[in-house]
Amino acid sequence: MSLRHFVDLKDAGGDAIAAILNDAMDRKAARAGWPKGKVDGDAPLAGHVLAMIFEKNSTRTRVSFDMAMRQLGGSALVLDGASSQIGRGESIADTARVLSRYVDAIMIRTDDHAKVVEMAKHANVPVINGLTDLSHPCQTLADMLTLLEGQGKLAGSKWAWLGDGNNVCNSLIEAAGLMQFDVTVACPEGFEPDAGVLADAAARGRIIPIVRDSVAAAKGADVVVTDTWTSMGQSDSDNRARAMAVYAVDEALLEGAGEKAMFMHCLPAHRGEEVTDAVIDGPQSAVWDEAENRLHAQKSLLLWALGKLG
Ligand code: CP
Ligand code: NVA
């Protein structure tokens, strides 16, 4: 079997993603009510270790991958960019070669997407993208799982992305092409999603409308989703905030979307900027389930990457 990297969702493909999401639902149900650190009955990754490299901050990705490995019977270790030799210029290729001798899989969060591609090229173990400036495929797995749980069906669903056409937006668009659902992006001019990602989705039959009117984009949507206006590594200029302000998700916007619309946000949220307290704490918000689902989706992703699923 060739190495199962997960640099982006297309590395897995639609069938494997469906298998990952189904397995995540089964595993989640099987351990309902258990203490968080208890190992799943089958301990499928006993003896396995995941190395996690962080060149950017993280709460959810770090904790959910660590807990995923514990629940699967394995363990995880963390290298932060600054205190490892990566921070002193050791190449990604050499780091990949060395880590492959110690651990069974590598998760990396970094800035330049090319670094994850380079890591995957030189590693002899699976490499998972834990967020780059271009994409955040692990987040999209959790978001799809959250919709499946909430509404029972992914294909044909309608998602409205409001605000910055960023890394999380790019992965959602990639998923739309692979899993055949609709995404409409309402964003300011100059903040559109990646052109290559849009072209890939189009090649899979998904033309992603890019519009300026958030109310129209959200109307009738199954999911209204947004994210910070300023991602890690970007400068927090007034221009960004000024351009994004009309794309904030408030109660009126969500009411216009309709009662069935779920509100999602990958977190961390900037309350009072891209989303109001009333929305994120309100009855249509799915953000805490969404955050929890990072854990469940990534457990099944790890099983797929290590050849135990699909
Ligand atoms: N959503 C997400 O990736 O959160 P962290 O930055 O806390 O990992
Ligand atoms: N778009 C955000 C996501 C954080 C999880 C960022 O890249 O900072």
Side-chain angles (χ1 to χ4, degrees), residues 56-58 60-61 109 130-133 135-136 139 161 164 166-169 227-234 265-268 270 294:
K56 283 182 174 177
N57 295 55
S58 171
R60 278 144 290 268
T61 302
R109 166 170 286 197
L131 179 147
T132 67
D133 291 346
S135 63
H136 196 1
Q139 183 64 50
W161 177 278
D164 188 19
N166 65 12
N167 45 5
V168 179
C169 179
D227 187 13
T228 181
W229 294 337
T230 309
S231 286
M232 292 181 278
Q234 295 175 330
H265 188 309
C266 63
L267 306 177
H270 303 80
R294 291 292 303 278

Side-chain angles (χ1 to χ4, degrees), residues 2-24:
S2 60
L3 279 173
R4 288 181 168 181
H5 298 304
F6 188 68
V7 178
D8 277 305
L9 292 154
K10 60 177 179 267
D11 294 334
D15 289 348
I17 290 170
I20 288 167
L21 297 175
N22 284 333
D23 185 66

Side-chain angles (χ1 to χ4, degrees), residues 19-267:
I20 288 167
L21 297 175
N22 284 333
D23 185 66
M25 282 192 281
D26 290 347
R27 284 191 170 272
K28 182 176 179 180
R31 58 173 297 121
W34 287 16
K36 308 284 195 302
K38 189 169 165 182
V39 178
D40 286 356
D42 53 350
L45 293 188
H48 291 71
V49 178
L50 172 73
M52 302 192 280
I53 302 170
F54 286 98
E55 295 198 289
K56 283 182 174 177
N57 295 55
S58 171
T59 296
R60 278 144 290 268
T61 302
R62 178 172 175 162
V63 178
S64 59
F65 266 109
D66 190 326
M67 291 306 298
M69 286 304 292
R70 292 183 201 213
Q71 291 187 3
L72 294 168
S75 60
L77 57 86
V78 173
L79 285 89
D80 80 89
S83 68
S84 67
Q85 297 290 7
I86 298 173
R88 294 183 59 251
E90 185 168 14
S91 74
I92 292 283
D94 287 353
T95 304
R97 292 180 182 110
V98 170
L99 289 180
S100 297
R101 300 291 180 104
Y102 296 135
V103 301
D104 302 288
I106 300 168
M107 191 284 297
I108 174 168
R109 166 170 286 197
T110 188
D111 40 22
D112 186 355
H113 195 75
K115 291 189 190 174
V116 183
V117 174
E118 176 82 353
M119 179 76 69
K121 187 171 160 201
H122 296 284
N124 293 318
V125 297
V127 171
I128 294 172
N129 173 3
L131 179 147
T132 67
D133 291 346
L134 182 66
S135 63
H136 196 1
C138 292
Q139 183 64 50
T140 303
L141 285 181
D143 295 2
M144 292 189 286
L145 180 57
T146 307
L147 178 70
L148 272 175
E149 285 179 341
Q151 301 197 5
K153 153 169 168 315
L154 185 58
S157 58
K158 286 166 59 85
W159 300 58
W161 177 278
L162 309 186
D164 188 19
N166 65 12
N167 45 5
V168 179
C169 179
N170 287 335
S171 287
L172 182 65
I173 290 168
E174 188 187 21
L178 291 166
M179 308 309 285
Q180 296 301 313
F181 59 83
D182 291 335
V183 178
T184 298
V185 176
C187 67
E189 211 175 325
F191 296 90
E192 288 83 6
D194 181 77
V197 171
L198 287 169
D200 278 359
R204 292 192 166 90
R206 287 286 132 180
I207 306 295
I208 307 297
I210 309 288
V211 303
R212 307 294 170 214
D213 179 350
S214 58
V215 175
K219 199 171 165 39
D222 297 297
V223 184
V224 171
V225 53
T226 189
D227 187 13
T228 181
W229 294 337
T230 309
S231 286
M232 292 181 278
Q234 295 175 330
S235 71
D236 184 7
S237 73
D238 282 339
N239 279 350
R240 294 188 75 85
R242 240 197 313 275
M244 304 286 174
V246 294
Y247 298 94
V249 182
D250 60 16
E251 280 174 295
L253 187 287
L254 203 56
E255 202 181 314
E259 268 175 19
K260 74 168 192 306
M262 300 170 81
F263 172 71
M264 293 195 202
H265 188 309
C266 63
L267 306 177

